[in-house]
Amino acid sequence: MTTSKLKQTMAEIVRMPKMSDTMTEGVVAKWLKKVGDSIKPGDVVAEIETDKATMEFESYQEGVLLYQGVSEGKAAPVDSVLAVLGKAGEEYQSLLDAEAAKAVVKAPVAQPAAPAAAAPAPKPAPVSTPAPAPAPQPARPVAPVAASSNGDQRMKVSPLAKRLANERGIDLSQVQGSGEHGRIVKRDIDWFKPGSFVASGAAAVGALTQESFEEIAVSQMRKTIARRLGESKFTAPHFYLTISIDMDAAISARESINAVTGSKVSFNDFVIKAAAAALRQHPKVNSSWLGDTIRINHHVNIGVAVAVEEGLLVPVVRFADSKTLRQINTEVKAYAQRAKEKKLQPADWEGSTFTISNLGMFGIEEFTAIINPPDACILAVGGISQVPVVKNGAVVPGNVMKVTLSCDHRVVDGATGSDFLRTFKGLMENPVVLLGQASI
């Protein structure tokens, strides 16, 4: 039989694809084809959760779906068996046997004197249903509530609390006790609001004092965040530089721009634009540590950290120094929306040369951020605070924003980082200079 005929009659393995540069395993979020369905090239077979997003997997092969190698909600390494395609009713167990044999050969042998038996080949079967969640661990029993000296058998109540409750017409069964073993005391009566506690008696006390917990599976995104930031924090020698910025002029400029143009440019857009302009003047900050070399990037691609439910994504505003405030604003908003919908593509988050993380909108005044590899620096931006400042020898109200630059000391020295921050501060405090470099 010729090779071409062999390919026409032999079932083919579909492998777990590598859908991002950092992906090591994928989770089948949903199968869109079931065993027995015919598949053509270009058909979407499954939705696969990577370390960054949930993406549609299109088949490049043709045939009938004979076998699903990964159940919905389960993870599998890149290049492992995702599915088998072939002709209806075609034998494919030999393919799975061969895969199992290769896995045994690759596995390290702990004791050469005692060869390990080959693992049994997986049996063909339709995709299995996810295993039931483990039964919740029973809570530690709570000792029954003893009767108080006042004769109330349902709960512990201090005499003063009981008297106050009677005077105010408060039903003690509706009061949550904050004393020892759930004892109702005077402060509980003073703080009581009708409808704030609907459970009653010993059951209510037990429900509030027993220990309980839940465990959730770690998503591919969270695994990658943990691995990459752990490597960054414990590999790159971080140091931090903090500076305060007078935001009065930036506030005035933003109000004028939004009033004249009808747009809604944010302070974060100012930060991105000023950082990009400062990086152009300080290329050593716009660099990466590569081991034997340091890469000084001539282009300015700024990663903007976006919070999503499972962690952080960092889409990239490319050539940010050449873009206007409104272009930056539109791009960041679009990235944030796609990130929340898990629609970002690998090209959206690859290639940053510098990163900005802004928590000012959450009321955070100041923080330090972990460097996002392969960048050499990340800028942590706090909120704008109204504080007393000294201007022209007088103490007056002012608007101050603090930023902290985290630096990889293998690439950036203290003086280099300080020079960058001084330039950044000057641009933020004099937005006319910043806006003079490009149209609004």
Side-chain angles (χ1 to χ4, degrees), residues 191-354:
W191 295 346
F192 174 74
K193 293 181 180 180
S196 61
F197 184 64
V198 296
S200 61
V205 175
L208 290 168
T209 57
Q210 64 185 5
E211 296 180 357
S212 64
F213 62 87
E214 64 175 321
E215 295 180 355
I216 58 175
V218 179
S219 68
Q220 297 302 106
M221 182 186 299
R222 180 57 66 183
K223 286 181 182 178
T224 301
I225 290 172
R227 177 177 57 80
R228 284 172 58 81
L229 294 187
E231 289 173 356
S232 174
K233 182 65 175 178
F234 300 116
T235 302
H238 286 53
F239 73 94
Y240 309 96
L241 301 170
T242 301
I243 198 167
S244 295
I245 299 170
D246 183 346
M247 291 293 289
D248 285 348
I251 291 172
S252 178
R254 176 176 177 265
E255 290 175 351
S256 299
I257 291 170
N258 290 345
V260 171
T261 64
S263 58
K264 292 186 177 180
V265 171
S266 70
F267 289 114
N268 197 50
D269 302 327
F270 276 82
V271 169
I272 295 171
K273 181 65 180 175
L279 288 170
R280 177 61 66 196
Q281 299 183 43
H282 302 278
K284 288 185 179 180
V285 177
N286 195 44
S287 303
S288 302
W289 174 263
L290 301 181
D292 294 330
T293 60
I294 294 174
R295 174 178 293 169
I296 299 177
N297 298 294
H298 298 152
H299 56 284
V300 178
N301 290 349
I302 294 188
V304 182
V306 175
V308 294
E309 185 176 351
E310 296 175 340
L312 282 176
L313 290 174
V314 188
V316 180
V317 178
R318 301 181 189 282
F319 310 109
D321 55 322
S322 65
K323 292 182 176 176
T324 66
L325 286 174
R326 285 193 290 178
Q327 287 174 329
I328 291 171
N329 177 269
T330 300
E331 196 167 327
V332 172
K333 282 182 178 178
Y335 277 142
Q337 184 62 35
R338 294 213 301 273
K340 291 175 181 177
E341 296 173 354
K342 293 189 174 182
K343 292 183 178 179
L344 287 177
Q345 299 300 308
D348 296 331
W349 64 68
E350 295 172 351
S352 69
T353 61
F354 184 86

Side-chain angles (χ1 to χ4, degrees), residues 57-282:
F57 171 61
E58 296 182 3
S59 175
Y60 294 98
Q61 297 152 276
E62 183 174 2
V64 174
L65 182 57
L66 302 176
Y67 173 77
Q68 293 176 335
V70 186
S71 302
E72 286 188 0
K74 300 297 182 181
V78 168
D79 289 332
S80 62
V81 177
L82 177 64
V84 177
L85 295 183
K87 292 185 177 181
E90 187 176 355
E91 188 277 331
Y92 59 87
Q93 182 60 40
S94 57
L95 290 175
L96 302 180
D97 291 343
E99 287 294 310
K102 285 194 292 185
V104 170
V105 171
K106 291 180 180 179
V109 180
Q111 298 292 336
K123 300 297 182 183
V127 64
S128 59
T129 56
Q137 181 174 325
R140 188 170 62 187
V142 179
V145 178
S148 65
S149 59
N150 59 20
D152 192 332
Q153 298 297 316
R154 296 178 304 161
M155 64 192 75
K156 282 188 174 181
V157 143
S158 73
L160 177 57
K162 186 174 183 180
R163 179 172 62 79
L164 291 174
N166 289 335
E167 292 175 355
R168 300 174 188 179
I170 295 175
D171 182 358
L172 287 173
S173 66
Q174 302 299 308
V175 180
Q176 178 180 350
S178 62
E180 186 177 3
H181 301 299
R183 180 184 178 90
I184 298 174
V185 294
K186 179 180 180 296
R187 64 174 174 267
D188 301 321
I189 304 300
D190 292 337
W191 295 346
F192 174 74
K193 293 181 180 180
S196 61
F197 184 64
V198 296
S200 61
V205 175
L208 290 168
T209 57
Q210 64 185 5
E211 296 180 357
S212 64
F213 62 87
E214 64 175 321
E215 295 180 355
I216 58 175
V218 179
S219 68
Q220 297 302 106
M221 182 186 299
R222 180 57 66 183
K223 286 181 182 178
T224 301
I225 290 172
R227 177 177 57 80
R228 284 172 58 81
L229 294 187
E231 289 173 356
S232 174
K233 182 65 175 178
F234 300 116
T235 302
H238 286 53
F239 73 94
Y240 309 96
L241 301 170
T242 301
I243 198 167
S244 295
I245 299 170
D246 183 346
M247 291 293 289
D248 285 348
I251 291 172
S252 178
R254 176 176 177 265
E255 290 175 351
S256 299
I257 291 170
N258 290 345
V260 171
T261 64
S263 58
K264 292 186 177 180
V265 171
S266 70
F267 289 114
N268 197 50
D269 302 327
F270 276 82
V271 169
I272 295 171
K273 181 65 180 175
L279 288 170
R280 177 61 66 196
Q281 299 183 43
H282 302 278

Side-chain angles (χ1 to χ4, degrees), residues 16-45:
M16 175 66 74
K18 186 178 179 69
M19 305 177 83
S20 78
D21 58 338
T22 57
M23 178 179 171
T24 58
E25 63 179 9
V27 173
V28 176
K30 184 178 182 180
W31 280 104
L32 301 178
K33 298 288 185 179
K34 61 181 183 295
V35 172
D37 285 353
S38 294
I39 296 173
K40 302 186 297 296
D43 284 353
V44 179
V45 178

